[in-house]
Amino acid sequence: MPSKSRIPARLRGIHLYPIFAGEPNWIQCERSIIPEEANGSIPVRFSFIVPQAMTQENTPTIFAAEKRAHWRALEPEIWSIQGADLDAVPTQSILTTLWDQPRWLEAYHLYDQRGSELFEQICGLPEYYLTRTENAILETHARDIIARAPVRCIVELGAGYSKKTVHLLTEQLRQRGSSIFAPIDVSAAGLRASRAAVRSAFPEIQFHGLHARYEEGFSAIDKNLPTLFVFLGSTIGNFNHSDFPRFFRTLSAAMGPGDFLLLGADRVKDVKVLEDAYNDSRGVTAEFILNVFDHINRLLHGNFARDNMRYYSRYNPEWQRIEMYAVARARQDIRFADIDAAFQWQKDEKILVEISRKFDPLRLQEQLRFFDLGAVEHFTDPREWFSVLLFKKES
Ligand code: AVJ
């Protein structure tokens, strides 16, 4: 938005927003005439276009010049790609993977409203050590991490705002006095919560929420802006063997020379500890995994019956990953009302809903070298259950 002082008096009280993000000299104005003003007639709304000089606030400096035109303000300090339809892809993803052998689902479908709430609950479970352990590592080492990554901007992939991020932002302000913070998230609600929290706790921080998928978000960041990319929570554990190299190839390509990546990764460990973390005694994880079928039923008007399935998970040592399945208790004829498509979900057949890979930090460091990401430092906890790895983009 242009600053108030630059708006001519006759336009005050009118809702202004920039149109054509690439041609900043025009602002579209909308005005609703309230009934009294309209003198008894029905309220009308009209819009007109006025020239307006672009101000700093209209073009956040985080975007690369060639990408700027694609982004528009969804609301104050939250940006989205012009015309992007974040809902267009899920339907196709669900259908194609459900028709695979074995049937499976991409993990991001788990996070509808209820799924996000259930995941929050998981983070507090006694068996789910990941969140607590990573948080402790960051609390202990935030000072060192920020000292080693002299940046002006922190871009966080997913999880817009958490206790963990607070440690980094606090140190960034302490050591540098100011900073840009740009969380990337497909959840607008998450970005709003993040904006509110940053506003009240860190008013010195310049906030730019990017409402986008990870790759669209980080690819838009200006390579000349020294940036620390933060990807926590072992979310990389969800990536399968084709997602993984694609993700690091695009992330590395989006990083400027001298940019940093902070990566949280859960480690290979005792099988009992791992299996308990994904099969808690209260059944929250089971509810989280099976909830995806309620979400799918809503999206695609399907008929998955929750009382006709159960949760099953195991650690697969060869693939070093937890596999989380839904198993049919009895045969179900699955149909989708809007689409001419149906399949038989056989009794005892498993649908792979989520994988959670476990890592060897040294191997991960060796591997990321091939993406021009050089290992800078490795932070871990006393039990060595979780690793937070700092990398620097080379060349
Ligand atoms: C958010 C992908 C890191 O794999 O530990 C937790 C998701 N699924 N319990 C994980 C999850 C079941 C979580 N990640």
Side-chain angles (χ1 to χ4, degrees):
M1 288 284 96
S3 60
K4 281 229 172 56
S5 58
R6 309 188 74 185
I7 300 172
R10 67 197 154 80
L11 295 181
R12 293 223 180 99
I14 295 176
H15 182 64
L16 297 176
Y17 53 92
I19 52 168
F20 318 132
E23 294 163 49
N25 292 329
W26 298 92
I27 295 244
Q28 181 157 339
C29 307
E30 255 188 21
R31 166 155 216 191
S32 302
I33 297 186
I34 51 168
E36 301 90 298
E37 223 180 312
N39 228 348
S41 60
I42 49 159
V44 290
R45 179 176 243 226
F46 57 90
S47 65
F48 48 95
I49 292 175
V50 294
Q52 172 72 36
M54 201 70 170
T55 64
Q56 261 291 311
E57 297 146 277
N58 278 337
T59 48
T61 46
I62 56 169
F63 294 126
E66 74 277 12
K67 302 275 182 180
R68 222 165 273 172
H70 303 139
W71 293 80
R72 63 184 167 80
L74 192 68
E75 48 188 88
E77 299 171 307
I78 296 182
W79 304 85
S80 71
I81 296 178
Q82 189 109 44
D85 182 0
L86 292 177
D87 295 331
V89 191
T91 307
Q92 191 183 35
S93 148
I94 290 164
L95 292 170
T96 51
T97 61
L98 278 181
W99 259 258
D100 251 350
Q101 179 60 36
R103 304 184 197 281
W104 64 286
L105 291 167
E106 291 194 87
Y108 73 92
H109 303 299
L110 288 161
Y111 298 91
D112 63 346
Q113 181 69 35
R114 172 115 177 96
S116 303
E117 286 161 17
L118 287 163
F119 181 65
E120 279 304 306
Q121 284 183 41
I122 287 174
C123 292
L125 290 171
E127 295 97 336
Y128 196 76
Y129 58 86
L130 285 81
T131 315
R132 251 171 281 120
T133 310
E134 185 184 49
N135 187 54
I137 296 169
L138 287 168
E139 186 166 15
T140 309
H141 298 288
R143 185 181 187 141
D144 199 8
I145 293 166
I146 293 298
R148 280 164 180 274
V151 297
R152 289 184 43 216
C153 176
I154 295 178
V155 170
E156 180 163 20
L157 313 190
Y161 187 84
S162 59
K163 268 161 72 188
K164 312 173 224 178
T165 316
V166 171
H167 302 309
L168 299 174
L169 295 180
T170 305
E171 269 308 312
Q172 173 77 349
L173 279 184
R174 207 183 58 78
Q175 297 183 30
R176 320 243 143 84
S178 72
S179 184
I180 298 169
F181 175 55
I184 304 171
D185 210 305
V186 288
S187 157
L191 291 173
R192 280 186 207 112
S194 171
R195 180 182 57 192
V198 169
R199 275 286 136 269
S200 64
F202 304 101
E204 310 90 329
I205 283 181
Q206 220 189 98
F207 180 94
H208 295 295
L210 307 189
H211 187 238
R213 297 192 188 86
Y214 296 147
E215 303 189 3
E216 293 163 339
F218 60 61
S219 301
I221 306 291
D222 187 350
K223 284 194 179 61
N224 298 313
L225 178 68
T227 299
L228 168 64
F229 294 86
V230 174
F231 194 33
L232 298 175
S234 202
T235 305
I236 40 159
N238 276 159
F239 293 177
N240 65 33
H241 289 70
S242 63
D243 299 329
F244 185 94
R246 192 189 327 121
F247 175 80
F248 284 105
R249 205 185 312 117
T250 38
L251 177 58
S252 176
M255 292 169 76
D259 277 353
F260 293 85
L261 167 66
L262 190 66
L263 188 66
D266 194 25
R267 296 173 62 156
V268 175
K269 63 178 67 60
D270 179 74
V271 173
K272 172 92 167 81
V273 173
L274 286 172
E275 289 194 332
D276 285 354
Y278 294 89
N279 196 9
D280 63 282
S281 56
R282 296 173 213 182
V284 184
T285 308
E287 180 63 25
F288 172 69
I289 293 297
L290 299 185
N291 171 66
V292 81
F293 294 98
D294 288 340
H295 185 202
I296 291 173
N297 283 346
R298 255 181 284 117
L299 271 176
L300 287 168
H301 306 292
N303 66 339
F304 281 104
R306 282 281 303 270
D307 53 7
N308 221 347
M309 60 176 85
R310 66 186 167 85
Y311 173 62
Y312 168 70
S313 66
R314 61 142 187 244
Y315 181 65
N316 180 334
E318 193 182 351
W319 290 73
Q320 297 190 327
R321 67 186 195 185
I322 292 281
E323 296 166 352
M324 290 161 267
Y325 295 97
V327 190
R329 292 183 191 274
R331 197 188 93 184
Q332 288 193 42
D333 291 306
I334 304 301
R335 279 173 279 105
F336 302 98
D338 304 343
I339 301 155
D340 180 24
F343 70 87
Q344 283 190 349
W345 188 11
Q346 302 297 345
K347 181 177 187 319
D348 297 324
E349 183 183 352
K350 304 197 291 287
I351 297 177
L352 180 59
V353 178
E354 192 184 15
I355 56 166
S356 187
R357 295 180 58 194
K358 304 303 159 191
F359 299 89
D360 168 350
L362 299 180
R363 185 118 159 224
L364 204 47
Q365 286 180 330
E366 287 180 332
Q367 199 177 14
L368 293 204
R369 263 187 36 219
F370 300 116
F371 297 101
D372 299 324
L373 295 167
V376 174
E377 190 60 85
H378 173 202
F379 306 95
T380 189
D381 55 291
R383 292 183 296 200
E384 304 194 334
W385 279 8
F386 199 95
S387 288
V388 173
L389 302 158
L390 185 65
F391 298 90
K392 184 175 184 178
K393 172 74 191 280
E394 267 143 22
S395 74

